[in-house]
Amino acid sequence: MKKEKVPSDYIVFPLDLPTVDKAMDYVRRLSGKVGMFKVGLELFIAAGPAILETIRKTGNAKIFLDLKLHDIPATVGRAMQSAARWDGVVFATVHCSVSPAMLEQAVSGSGGKIGVLGVTVLTSVSGRDLGLAGFDPVFAQDPSALVMKRTQMAYDAGCAGVVCSGLEAGAVKARFGKSFVTMVPGIRPAWSGLEDDQKRVVTPAAAVQNGADYLVIGRPIRDSDDPAAAAEKIALEIGRALAG
Ligand code: C5P
């Protein structure tokens, strides 16, 4: 029987750490307090793919392989085939900026074993950034329009969902349905007081109220004096928001 989702299952902790030892220290401390560990470029490059097996063997949390692939369709498809050989990986990312064929190959390479998530517009990117990068002024004025356009590409290619900000999660759910996954970074609890590279940010409560399925929460947990307590506090906030 499928286990009912509890508030901590919404939390995805990015193992943005430079060594296996440091990453595994967080895996042990946060085991049971978060639902998923995200392996991104920093740890993957430092530790290699064997880290996926090490994490899998340590607890029950799922693994999100966030390498944000972006290459010719054949290469992305084959990279996804390689990723699918690692047990415990439930989601992996590919950019959905320019190539429907790249997305299609990612989905086909996953062989249905991994949910492919399309990265729409990074939450660290503002409308001003889009304007400076030469995007149509329509998108510079309203980045969510570009998020929706790219989400359509991901949906049409058969992706399991997208990575988007909490500001767009509601619109994505409304247009693409409840089962289309929204993975939401750029989460900043009101108490975190962080001001950094994240620009399109929301609180954990606002994210789940907007329909986010998963909340990627890194620095507010990683850099807190007590990471496990910070994760528990966030789970409480999520629980309250879901209840009412
Ligand atoms: O909460 P914090 O900002 O520390 O989370 C950072 C993590 O979120 C990084 O691992 C980064 O790769 C990820 N991220 C993402 N997609 C975005 C923005 C950040 O996966 N749009």
Side-chain angles (χ1 to χ4, degrees):
M1 213 172 78
K2 212 172 157 201
K3 184 179 151 266
E4 205 187 319
K5 196 172 178 186
V6 297
S8 59
D9 291 336
Y10 284 78
I11 305 176
V12 178
F13 180 72
L15 292 163
D16 292 332
L17 293 150
T19 65
V20 174
D21 284 352
K22 286 195 174 129
M24 293 315 292
D25 181 39
Y26 275 88
V27 169
R28 279 185 288 271
R29 286 157 77 170
L30 294 174
S31 197
K33 316 236 178 265
V34 304
M36 208 177 296
F37 289 108
K38 177 168 99 70
V39 176
L41 290 173
E42 180 180 359
L43 184 60
F44 194 81
I45 291 172
I51 187 70
L52 302 172
E53 186 64 2
T54 310
I55 297 168
R56 188 182 71 81
K57 284 188 176 149
T58 306
N60 297 324
K62 298 170 179 155
I63 302 169
F64 168 22
L65 182 58
D66 182 29
L67 300 181
K68 298 189 176 72
L69 303 177
H70 191 168
D71 209 316
I72 61 169
T75 299
V76 167
R78 292 170 71 92
M80 209 48 99
Q81 270 175 23
S82 293
R85 291 191 199 110
W86 293 92
D87 286 333
V89 177
V90 294
F91 292 120
T93 42
V94 57
H95 274 286
C96 45
S97 43
V98 288
S99 165
M102 181 177 74
L103 294 171
E104 284 157 16
Q105 286 298 310
V107 172
S108 128
S110 77
K113 204 177 157 217
I114 295 181
V116 175
L117 302 179
V119 178
T120 56
V121 178
L122 295 172
T123 47
S124 54
V125 170
S126 65
R128 183 170 180 273
D129 293 331
L130 292 175
L132 290 172
F135 280 82
D136 190 303
V138 168
F139 298 136
Q141 238 165 39
D142 178 16
S144 67
L146 186 56
V147 170
M148 295 308 281
K149 199 172 173 54
R150 290 179 171 178
T151 301
Q152 183 74 57
M153 282 171 65
Y155 183 84
D156 291 343
C159 288
V162 286
V163 182
C164 63
S165 91
L167 302 172
E168 297 113 20
V172 168
K173 285 286 184 191
R175 192 184 304 173
F176 299 97
K178 214 168 166 255
S179 60
F180 193 68
V181 172
T182 48
M183 177 73 71
V184 171
I187 304 289
R188 291 292 175 261
W191 47 262
S192 72
L194 284 173
E195 283 203 25
D196 45 45
D197 53 353
Q198 296 285 21
K199 295 188 180 138
R200 295 175 6 259
V201 301
V202 300
T203 63
V208 292
Q209 278 156 357
N210 289 351
D213 293 302
Y214 298 100
L215 280 50
V216 179
I217 312 179
R219 284 165 282 187
I221 295 176
R222 186 193 68 189
D223 299 342
S224 112
D225 292 338
D226 186 343
E232 277 171 359
K233 196 167 163 182
I234 291 168
L236 274 177
E237 176 177 337
I238 293 171
R240 274 197 296 270
L242 291 170

